[in-house]
Amino acid sequence: MDKILILAIFCFRLIVTEAAVSVGGGIGVGVGGSGGGGGVWVGGGISTGPNTPPAGAPQVSKLNAAYIALQAWKSAITDDPNGILKTWVGLNVCAYKGVFCADSQDYMGRSTVQVVAAIDLNHADLQGVLVKQLSALTDLSLFHLNSNRFSGTVPESFKEFTSLTELDLSNNRFSGPFPITVLYIPNLKYLDLRFNSFSGPVPDDLFNKQLDAIFLNNNQFDSELPQNLGNSPASVINLANNKFCGNIPFSLGYVGSQVKEILFLNNQLTGCIPEGVGLWSDLQVLDVSSNSLMGHLPDSISCLSQIEVLNLANNKLSGELPDLVCELRSLLNLTVSSNFFSGFSQDCANLNIGFDFSYNCIPGKEMQRPQPDCSMIPGVGLSCLRIPAKPLICGELGIGAYQSTTPTPSP
């Protein structure tokens, strides 16, 4: 009789333990930064009392769905030099390295349950592909895969990430066209696709989406910049180191005052710098270097009262550098090297900041272009649309008067 009683107690404890594993959860500490990660989890067990969810409640199904999704992804990862996936065993997904769990209300709104809220595998050096099963993680709010070796494309099922706010796939080996599916993630605010091999055009709808940050730099995008680029509410737009061509859209002048950084460097942009840049009253960084921009600088650049870094180097800009540019009080670095500027005022000469004007056509200055180069200034017949008003009144640029930014030859 005693043996039977002991066996019954043992079986009861075993059942409770298994239930705790399949239902419990906690907070994962995963891989981030350049170092390793944790894998610590807190919490778990079976809740008791009046708010205990009935059998089959979403907590069990969501954690089981997460287990199935993560195991499917694990099978698609072919190299794991840091042994991250050695922790990806068992039903307790909240103990997996790089997987973070959080509390969420149950389906009746009465109590909290554990869900997978974030995946952070930055710098894990994993090699493999993404799988469609990951879309089962419907409570995921952060998905960070910076600095791995993932390749292929972004599954179309990612549009089912209804809670996702941050998607960071930077510094991997993804390729193919722009992943349209990310435009259908309803709550996405931060999109980072830089340092991959995406190619082709960038869809107009990207700049209609309510994103706070757009990082597309260091890919192979090769279209013209969408004309609705100015619709974006993002504070940072980085399109550097691609193959974008054509003119900078005039609509860019309509970008909201929240924009802080715009980087177009090292593309194949042509034409003029639009007058509308003067509307970016809070802009801190503007880098259009290493393109083929021509013509004179718009006077409205002097309205950039918060600008700290202004880089116009390696273009085909000409004329005199406007005095007002050199009077910008927040300016820390001004680079106009490798253009065709013909002079600047004493205000510019007295600048006590980083000021690189080398390899231009400025008489009497050292490290300038050879004279034969300066006799053939590119774009000399180019007529950029300019605001015919003096003195310039910042904030009243008369943008509505313009219909196009396409530069036309002078008569």
Side-chain angles (χ1 to χ4, degrees):
M1 182 65 180
D2 291 339
K3 291 182 179 179
I4 295 174
L5 181 58
I6 292 172
L7 180 59
I9 293 173
F10 174 79
C11 291
F12 176 78
R13 288 180 177 175
L14 180 61
I15 292 170
V16 171
T17 301
E18 290 178 344
V21 170
S22 63
V23 179
I27 301 174
V29 179
V31 176
S34 59
V40 178
W41 68 285
V42 179
I46 301 175
S47 60
T48 58
N51 290 329
T52 301
Q59 178 170 355
V60 175
S61 62
K62 283 189 175 184
L63 289 180
N64 285 345
Y67 169 78
I68 294 170
L70 292 173
Q71 291 301 315
W73 190 24
K74 179 181 178 180
S75 67
I77 295 175
T78 57
D79 190 25
D80 176 22
N82 297 316
I84 303 298
L85 301 184
K86 290 180 180 179
T87 67
W88 286 30
V89 293
L91 295 174
N92 185 18
V93 296
C94 299
Y96 293 5
K97 281 188 177 180
V99 177
F100 291 74
C101 291
D103 290 336
S104 177
Q105 283 190 334
D106 68 6
Y107 75 113
M108 293 291 289
R110 298 177 304 179
S111 62
T112 58
V113 296
Q114 289 285 306
V115 297
V116 174
I119 292 177
D120 183 356
L121 290 169
N122 287 348
H123 299 274
D125 198 24
L126 298 172
Q127 177 177 305
V129 297
L130 301 177
V131 296
K132 63 181 182 180
Q133 290 90 337
L134 287 170
S135 62
L137 305 176
T138 54
D139 296 285
L140 199 67
S141 61
L142 305 177
F143 193 25
H144 291 178
L145 295 182
N146 181 353
S147 300
N148 284 278
R149 290 174 287 147
F150 288 105
S151 58
T153 58
V154 179
E156 185 178 352
S157 62
F158 271 36
K159 64 185 178 184
E160 298 172 23
F161 281 144
T162 54
S163 300
L164 195 69
T165 59
E166 294 187 13
L167 179 61
D168 184 354
L169 304 180
S170 62
N171 199 17
N172 279 281
R173 300 174 181 177
F174 293 109
S175 59
F178 182 92
I180 296 293
T181 189
V182 304
L183 301 181
Y184 298 97
I185 301 176
N187 294 301
L188 192 65
K189 295 298 182 184
Y190 178 96
L191 177 63
D192 193 344
L193 302 179
R194 56 187 156 176
F195 290 98
N196 281 288
S197 296
F198 292 113
S199 59
V202 171
D204 292 4
D205 285 343
L206 173 65
F207 301 102
N208 291 330
K209 193 168 178 62
Q210 297 299 303
L211 294 170
D212 294 334
I214 301 173
F215 293 96
L216 302 184
N217 52 293
N218 296 82
N219 278 282
Q220 304 288 328
F221 294 117
D222 57 8
S223 63
E224 293 190 0
L225 295 177
Q227 290 300 309
N228 69 329
L229 194 150
N231 292 353
S232 176
S235 61
V236 178
I237 300 176
N238 191 339
L239 307 182
N241 300 310
N242 281 284
K243 299 178 182 178
F244 289 111
C245 58
N247 301 318
I248 297 176
F250 183 73
S251 70
L252 199 60
Y254 291 108
V255 171
S257 60
Q258 67 272 22
V259 65
K260 298 293 190 296
E261 298 183 19
I262 295 179
L263 297 98
F264 292 158
L265 63 145
N266 197 23
N267 279 284
Q268 300 168 11
L269 300 175
T270 56
C272 306
I273 296 177
E275 191 83 41
V277 298
L279 292 177
W280 306 329
S281 57
D282 291 333
L283 191 68
Q284 297 172 357
V285 177
L286 175 61
D287 193 335
V288 296
S289 63
S290 298
N291 284 283
S292 295
L293 300 171
M294 300 182 186
H296 295 188
L297 290 182
D299 289 341
S300 64
I301 281 187
S302 63
C303 294
L304 302 178
S305 58
Q306 302 300 315
I307 196 75
E308 296 178 2
V309 177
L310 179 58
N311 192 344
L312 311 174
N314 293 298
N315 279 287
K316 300 176 182 179
L317 300 167
S318 57
E320 289 201 0
L321 193 64
D323 298 351
L324 295 175
V325 172
C326 299
E327 296 175 2
L328 292 169
R329 294 183 178 181
S330 298
L331 198 60
L332 300 176
N333 188 287
L334 173 61
T335 305
V336 298
S337 60
S338 298
N339 279 286
F340 291 84
F341 288 112
S342 57
F344 53 76
S345 70
Q346 191 62 35
D347 288 332
C348 294
N350 293 334
L351 278 176
N352 195 23
I353 61 171
F355 178 33
D356 185 357
F357 56 87
S358 61
Y359 212 57
N360 277 279
C361 298
I362 303 174
K365 300 295 182 181
E366 297 181 352
M367 299 181 64
Q368 298 298 297
R369 290 181 180 275
Q371 185 56 40
D373 289 357
C374 297
S375 62
M376 299 276 298
I377 297 177
V380 69
L382 197 65
S383 177
C384 298
L385 294 170
R386 292 291 178 249
I387 296 172
K390 289 193 179 287
L392 177 68
I393 302 176
C394 295
E396 299 180 11
L397 299 180
I399 297 299
Y402 296 104
Q403 303 298 321
S404 171
T405 55
T406 304
T408 54
S410 298

